[in-house]
Amino acid sequence: MSIQSTKENPLPAKLFNEKGELQRPVSRFRNWISSEPGSRFPPEKGRYHLYVSYACPWAHRTLIIRKLKGLESIISVTSVHFHMSIVDSWRFVGPDESLPMEDVTPDPLHPEFKRLKELYYRADPNYTGRFTVPVLWDKKTESIVSNESSEIIRMLYTEFDGLLSEEKRKVDLYPRELRGEIDEVNGWTYDNINNGVYKCGLAQTQAAYHDAVTALFASLDKVEQQLSSASKDGPYYFGAFITEADIRLYVTIIRFDPVYVALFKTNRAMIRTHYPYIHRWVKHLYWNVEAFGKTTSFEHIKGHYFTSLTMLNPSGIVPEGPVPDILGLDE
Ligand SMILES: N[C@@H](CCC(=O)N[C@@H](CS)C(=O)NCC(=O)O)C(=O)O
């Protein structure tokens, strides 16, 4: 069976395989900021700008690291409006629009730009891919360093360390002794959880949905197990300190009950009722660790998914529940 792009499913047909399963395209701009001598993109204060959406889980990763590493005064940020057009992608807010959260402004570098796609065309007039966030922009060469979040976060871990305080330099989110485990966890977390929820929501056949939702909940069970055994050493995925595994998982789990359960039909269970260890872990990060809580906006998150993915929610109505979006630490 081949999947066609239709009014009901306006996403391009090439995003799906013949089984109706979502195939996320690979990112096109894959340069690295590097402190190596002679590097094309050396770390410099004020040179780079991150374009994000507070709604987007991939962009959310970069916002968390920027705060954890204390890069706020080194890398500036702009968030787009939470509404994403399926055809034209993200837009900047207008000068008179006011949305929650910091840095939701017109493009400060190109005030004439209305949409994120103009940035992509500035970097490459022949660009043909999707216009995704995050984008790490180089002000000096007016080009995109990278639009792949998994690589942007790793640049931010170490490449700016020469500009940071001793305390921030010590923040190590990818410690040598855990790299093997983190990479192993990343593989199935990405396939079955981060991208897995999208595979559930955008599946074009019952079988594709069933396979995705089964893999998703089997992986959540595995995470629950891990957090239960790590909890004797501390509140994080590997116990005592935050690593990349916490960041990659958080951005999906924080959106799970408020969005994915309803919109993506991941409703075999909710985190708050069925996964006590995951629930405790996510509440701790949200309430106690600023880099997580202060970069999370339920207005952007709910507004985005329920009004943008109109093929799943044609009325664009944003559900009021669950109430509250996240429970308190002792609830
Ligand atoms: N591989 C990319 C994926 C980013 C991505 O898919 N972002 C979505 C938002 S959650 C997007 O901007 N989509 C716009 C579009 O497809 O038009 C990354 O991790 O950086």
Side-chain angles (χ1 to χ4, degrees), residues 24 27 56 58 84 89-90 130-134 147-149:
R24 194 173 282 275
S27 306
C56 166
W58 321 103
M84 184 194 85
S89 192
W90 303 97
R130 300 203 55 86
F131 308 106
T132 55
V133 284
N147 67 337
E148 175 48 51
S149 64

Side-chain angles (χ1 to χ4, degrees), residues 3-6 9-16 22 86 130:
I3 302 298
Q4 303 297 326
S5 186
T6 60
N9 175 30
L11 291 171
K14 67 178 179 201
L15 285 182
F16 299 92
L22 177 71
I86 297 293
R130 300 203 55 86

Side-chain angles (χ1 to χ4, degrees), residues 18-307:
E18 71 292 346
K19 288 199 235 146
E21 294 166 345
L22 177 71
Q23 311 276 288
R24 194 173 282 275
V26 283
S27 306
R28 141 92 173 72
F29 296 93
R30 308 296 284 273
N31 303 297
W32 284 75
I33 292 176
S34 159
S35 50
E36 294 289 311
S39 121
R40 188 170 154 213
F41 298 108
E44 277 172 31
K45 184 173 174 161
R47 175 162 170 176
Y48 302 99
H49 192 78
L50 255 181
Y51 290 94
V52 299
S53 160
Y54 281 104
C56 166
W58 321 103
H60 197 173
R61 295 167 166 183
T62 64
L63 287 166
I64 295 171
I65 314 295
R66 176 174 171 266
K67 266 206 193 301
L68 283 173
K69 286 291 294 184
L71 290 163
E72 291 101 319
S73 65
I74 293 179
I75 302 176
S76 45
V77 167
T78 300
S79 170
V80 292
H81 192 286
F82 61 70
H83 182 263
M84 184 194 85
S85 151
I86 297 293
V87 179
D88 278 332
S89 192
W90 303 97
R91 70 170 179 87
F92 294 104
V93 297
D96 302 327
E97 268 177 303
S98 167
L99 260 64
M101 303 300 275
E102 279 175 24
D103 304 313
V104 189
T105 63
D107 181 354
L109 306 178
H110 317 92
E112 71 282 14
F113 284 1
K114 299 264 182 300
R115 293 202 167 268
L116 186 77
K117 70 178 181 185
E118 294 171 80
L119 203 65
Y120 275 82
Y121 289 133
R122 173 66 58 90
D124 176 2
N126 300 316
Y127 182 72
T128 53
R130 300 203 55 86
F131 308 106
T132 55
V133 284
V135 170
L136 183 59
W137 179 259
D138 177 21
K139 299 178 195 172
K140 193 160 174 184
T141 59
E142 282 279 296
S143 60
I144 296 177
V145 179
S146 174
N147 67 337
E148 175 48 51
S149 64
S150 59
E151 294 173 358
I152 297 173
I153 60 175
R154 291 201 176 173
M155 298 170 211
L156 305 190
Y157 291 169
T158 48
E159 297 307 320
F160 290 87
D161 278 2
L163 305 174
L164 298 179
S165 66
E166 176 67 24
E167 183 208 348
K168 291 298 180 188
R169 226 177 293 157
K170 276 203 267 185
V171 175
D172 184 0
L173 298 155
Y174 190 50
R176 202 159 288 282
E177 66 280 9
L178 283 174
R179 287 187 184 178
E181 272 180 89
I182 291 174
D183 288 344
E184 192 270 327
V185 167
N186 282 349
W188 56 264
T189 302
Y190 177 83
D191 283 340
N192 301 337
I193 301 180
N194 304 136
N195 198 33
V197 292
Y198 283 85
K199 288 187 195 163
C200 296
L202 299 175
Q204 299 296 304
T205 63
Q206 189 73 40
Y209 164 73
H210 171 80
D211 290 351
V213 91
T214 302
L216 167 65
F217 281 94
S219 291
L220 289 177
D221 292 348
K222 216 162 131 178
V223 172
E224 180 72 2
Q225 201 65 59
Q226 165 64 22
L227 289 173
S228 142
S229 60
S231 66
K232 64 182 184 319
D233 301 318
Y236 303 112
Y237 195 90
F238 289 112
F241 45 87
I242 298 175
T243 64
E244 179 171 299
D246 294 286
I247 294 148
R248 283 173 165 257
L249 195 60
Y250 174 85
V251 298
T252 299
I253 299 300
I254 198 71
R255 288 162 175 75
F256 200 90
D257 289 359
V259 173
Y260 301 144
V261 166
L263 188 70
F264 285 173
K265 308 185 185 85
T266 63
N267 64 351
R268 280 196 194 170
M270 288 177 90
I271 301 298
R272 64 185 65 189
T273 50
H274 283 77
Y275 287 101
Y277 283 96
I278 302 181
H279 192 210
R280 195 163 73 173
W281 164 89
V282 75
K283 286 189 301 180
H284 169 67
L285 289 173
Y286 178 84
W287 292 109
N288 295 339
V289 188
E290 282 205 349
F292 290 79
K294 294 266 192 277
T295 56
T296 301
S297 165
F298 292 108
E299 289 98 331
H300 282 259
I301 291 172
K302 291 181 73 169
H304 163 66
Y305 283 97
F306 287 105
T307 68

